[in-house]
Amino acid sequence: MREQRTFDKIIEVKNVTKTFGETTVIDDINLSIRRGQFVTLLGPSGCGKTTLLRMIAGFTTPTDGTIFIEGQNVTDMPPYKRPVNTVFQKYALFPHLNVFKNVAFGLKLKRIEDDKVNARGEKQKTMRKFTKEEIAEKVNRALKLVGLEDYGHRDVNSLSGGQQQRVAIARALVCEPKVLLLDEPLGALDLKMRKEMQIELMKMHRELGITFIYVTHDQEEALTMSDVVVVLNDGVIQQIGTPKQVYDEPANAFVADFIGESNVISGTMLKDFDVSFLGAEFVCEDKGFAKNEKVDLVIRPEDIKLLPETAAEGQLLGTVISTVFKGTWYEMEIMANDYEFTVQSTVEAKPGQNVKMLIEPDGIHIMKKLRTVNEFEGEIDGENSVYICGGSFEVDTNLEKGTAVKVLVPFDGVELTDDEDDGVIGANVTHVLYKGSYYQVQIYTDTDEDFYIDTTDEWDIGDRVGVIIDKSKVTLEVIEEESEKDDKE
Ligand code: ATP
């Protein structure tokens, strides 16, 4: 039986997980998309955006969970039966067909319902193909939509990249899908063409009134084009909101850092509306945190007001390190209480100059701290030794060899070394977040695990590292077998 769901939600993704082998690429995601919205899936390379889009399109089947389109469970339905169409980054046009025939291709294969009157004068439902005239009308309408009405006869190989992408969009639109899925469709275009196509896609979205789901790793593109931005990292949704919400009120340090220039700093919530960071106390607009709860906070570069060194106002005194003119404003690096702020202001301050920095309550955005402990499943593989992520580490334990354990390693319990042979695990640095007095470094191990490390050392993305774990900071928890649990119950 068809499951009934609220129809305003054209797409619902319910507890969807996708694993490839041992790797979880999409981790228990829930997402509702309203009819007619322009929704962007945004996140760094490898975060699972394309995989999520492909599951909505039907090219990939979830390992777990359900996908609904217009209330119908489509989880196992093949792509061609779904009311969606996809535009890929690589246009995948047929090189031997001209523009018109490329766009018409899908229509020629399609069969539609038709009412036929039989010999007894009764109406009968039959299936038929589109007529030549119907195809011509639909193709011409789609070509007009993408601004290529005079290009039907052209060889696709003679078109520019931007024009080829328009043909691909026309080909997806010609079948009149209810949802258009776009997977980094502008990725192969140069910057100027990209900007032009962004405006055209927004116009098409307005004119067609259908739902667009757009994948990109470009935050500016996402903020410019979307009604709703879904920020993904590591297969987990970090935040869903309007462009303004994800920019102004990032849910956590990852979103703050990924969406635009920002200063992300660790602080302590002293009480409601009162936060301390970098040794000073500030009034903020946030409440509901525990007393003395550790938090992350973000201050956008344009929310810091620069005042003369002698001003009575201003909470921090800083020294300008560098100043770059950016056309309508100056971008400055300013050192204050051991933190290097990025500041944007129409007022210029010269390198070496001391300035007072004023941060108003609405310029401070408080966020819950992301987790601070790495969690792995491992096994005791010898006396005082545990095996995780492809390596054996020394620990203090009486547990027997072969015991399955959860291994908890706090972010500050790990040291990285640039001589891989000094560490037990080999990994690459994938993300670096400056948090004021330290860096939070994300590494990806050779066994496909993410590790987070708080360190005062500077690392670059792509650095090859070895991992050393401080055994005094590791906690082990025995993992009970399902059958043991059952016995207890
Ligand atoms: P990008 O912007 O680089 O395309 P993305 O966010 O779209 O990244 P996905 O393409 O969804 O990321 O891939 C997420 C992870 O899943 C990657 O680590 C990728 O290598 C892995 N992955 C994707 N498809 C497969 C597959 N068929 N088999 C194994 N691993 C896969």
Side-chain angles (χ1 to χ4, degrees):
M1 208 181 75
R2 199 172 140 133
E3 285 184 56
Q4 287 297 316
R5 313 199 67 88
T6 323
F7 268 42
D8 188 40
K9 292 176 190 162
I10 190 158
I11 290 176
E12 268 193 284
V13 173
K14 289 256 170 195
N15 300 105
V16 165
T17 293
K18 180 70 191 176
T19 54
F20 291 110
E22 299 276 285
T23 314
T24 301
V25 172
I26 291 290
D27 194 357
D28 196 21
I29 273 188
N30 285 292
L31 176 66
S32 291
I33 294 177
R34 283 175 48 196
R35 192 183 296 278
Q37 281 187 322
F38 194 128
V39 177
T40 299
L41 307 179
L42 172 70
S45 184
C47 72
K49 313 176 288 287
T50 298
T51 304
L52 179 55
L53 195 82
R54 287 175 61 83
M55 288 193 284
I56 296 171
F59 298 122
T60 302
T61 313
T63 311
D64 230 322
T66 321
I67 295 175
F68 297 91
I69 301 183
E70 293 197 302
Q72 188 180 4
N73 183 343
V74 299
T75 316
D76 297 311
M77 186 185 274
Y80 69 92
K81 286 197 174 163
R82 303 186 186 200
V84 305
N85 241 325
T86 311
V87 180
F88 300 97
Q89 177 175 351
K90 306 232 166 52
Y91 333 120
L93 301 177
F94 302 112
H96 57 288
L97 299 180
N98 69 17
V99 169
F100 184 96
K101 287 184 177 160
N102 257 284
V103 178
F105 191 83
L107 283 181
K108 284 189 180 157
L109 301 176
K110 212 173 155 116
R111 296 174 80 85
I112 51 165
E113 273 193 5
D114 194 19
D115 283 334
K116 247 195 170 162
V117 180
N118 67 15
R120 291 192 297 278
E122 296 157 345
K123 266 194 183 173
Q124 262 188 336
K125 286 246 176 282
T126 56
M127 298 300 282
R128 70 164 176 88
K129 289 187 167 181
F130 283 117
T131 64
K132 261 194 168 155
E133 292 70 30
E134 283 170 332
I135 290 178
E137 197 229 308
K138 283 177 189 291
V139 171
N140 287 328
R141 190 159 9 114
L143 285 176
K144 189 159 183 233
L145 248 168
V146 298
L148 291 179
E149 54 266 61
D150 300 325
Y151 283 69
H153 63 284
R154 286 278 292 270
D155 178 351
V156 284
N157 302 305
S158 73
L159 302 181
S160 71
Q163 287 166 335
Q164 289 190 27
Q165 190 56 290
R166 279 167 217 248
V167 177
I169 295 168
R171 191 176 55 179
L173 290 176
V174 79
C175 293
E176 296 166 25
K178 292 185 175 153
V179 183
L180 188 66
L181 305 173
L182 301 116
D183 190 1
E184 305 238 12
L186 311 184
L189 306 180
D190 64 39
L191 187 66
K192 187 164 172 285
M193 181 65 78
R194 232 181 134 95
K195 297 269 172 212
E196 277 173 31
M197 283 297 287
Q198 283 176 11
I199 294 168
E200 289 201 30
L201 278 171
M202 284 154 67
K203 193 165 151 251
M204 272 180 229
H205 174 250
R206 268 197 312 274
E207 283 173 7
L208 290 164
I210 64 173
T211 311
F212 277 35
I213 307 181
Y214 192 95
V215 161
T216 184
H217 60 267
D218 179 336
Q219 48 91 10
E220 197 190 329
E221 190 161 278
L223 296 186
T224 310
M225 300 176 78
S226 330
D227 299 316
V228 173
V229 181
V230 179
V231 187
L232 277 168
N233 188 33
D234 262 349
V236 176
I237 294 180
Q238 304 292 318
Q239 188 168 8
I240 302 175
T242 62
K244 193 166 161 36
Q245 279 166 342
V246 293
Y247 186 83
D248 283 348
E249 294 296 334
N252 57 44
F254 174 83
V255 179
D257 184 56
F258 194 71
I259 310 269
E261 286 271 5
S262 53
N263 301 290
V264 182
I265 307 166
S266 287
T268 307
M269 218 45 206
L270 299 175
K271 57 180 190 295
D272 283 352
F273 313 112
D274 191 358
V275 62
S276 127
F277 57 90
L278 302 178
E281 218 175 302
F282 297 76
V283 179
C284 62
E285 294 188 328
D286 300 79
K287 60 176 177 139
F289 291 85
K291 193 168 156 46
N292 293 329
E293 182 172 340
K294 297 274 177 241
V295 290
D296 281 324
L297 54 101
V298 61
I299 302 164
R300 296 290 181 194
E302 64 274 21
D303 287 336
I304 299 171
K305 193 170 167 196
L306 298 185
L307 304 168
E309 183 182 359
T310 51
E313 287 177 286
Q315 303 99 331
L316 295 167
L317 180 65
T319 306
V320 180
I321 299 170
S322 66
T323 304
V324 178
F325 183 52
K326 292 275 190 174
T328 45
W329 75 85
Y330 296 89
E331 187 161 298
M332 289 158 276
E333 299 305 323
I334 301 179
M335 190 61 109
N337 293 3
D338 280 337
Y339 183 82
E340 196 176 311
F341 280 90
T342 301
V343 180
Q344 290 169 356
S345 170
T346 49
V347 180
E348 182 187 9
K350 298 228 185 291
Q353 191 180 329
N354 287 336
V355 284
K356 267 301 207 34
M357 298 162 67
L358 175 70
I359 309 165
E360 301 280 4
D362 64 357
I364 301 171
H365 309 290
I366 310 281
M367 304 166 298
K368 282 254 172 221
K369 251 202 185 307
L370 289 171
R371 62 192 180 88
T372 52
V373 179
N374 297 288
E375 226 183 271
F376 304 102
E377 286 192 4
E379 192 180 295
I380 303 295
D381 65 342
E383 202 177 316
N384 287 325
S385 172
V386 66
Y387 183 85
I388 49 167
C389 308
S392 294
F393 290 91
E394 213 184 309
V395 281
D396 289 326
T397 180
N398 301 322
L399 291 169
E400 268 178 38
K401 188 173 172 184
T403 311
V405 282
K406 193 190 275 179
V407 184
L408 305 171
V409 187
F411 291 3
D412 62 357
V414 188
E415 200 189 316
L416 297 180
T417 155
D418 55 8
D419 186 350
E420 206 186 327
D421 294 338
D422 291 345
V424 178
I425 296 173
N428 289 310
V429 173
T430 52
H431 195 87
V432 179
L433 185 58
Y434 176 48
K435 295 266 201 114
S437 51
Y438 63 93
Y439 295 90
Q440 191 165 94
V441 178
Q442 185 178 347
I443 60 169
Y444 190 61
T445 68
D446 296 342
T447 48
D448 297 332
E449 305 261 12
D450 285 308
F451 233 104
Y452 295 84
I453 299 108
D454 287 344
T455 172
T456 48
D457 296 335
E458 234 176 285
W459 295 95
D460 289 322
I461 292 173
D463 280 352
R464 188 74 197 150
V465 290
V467 176
I468 300 168
I469 294 182
D470 177 351
K471 69 172 182 178
S472 69
K473 295 202 172 163
V474 173
T475 312
L476 302 178
E477 289 174 11
V478 175
I479 300 173
E480 289 183 21
E481 298 282 339
E482 282 303 315
S483 56
E484 284 176 34
K485 259 197 238 166
D486 292 347
D487 289 348
K488 280 189 191 165
E489 281 160 14

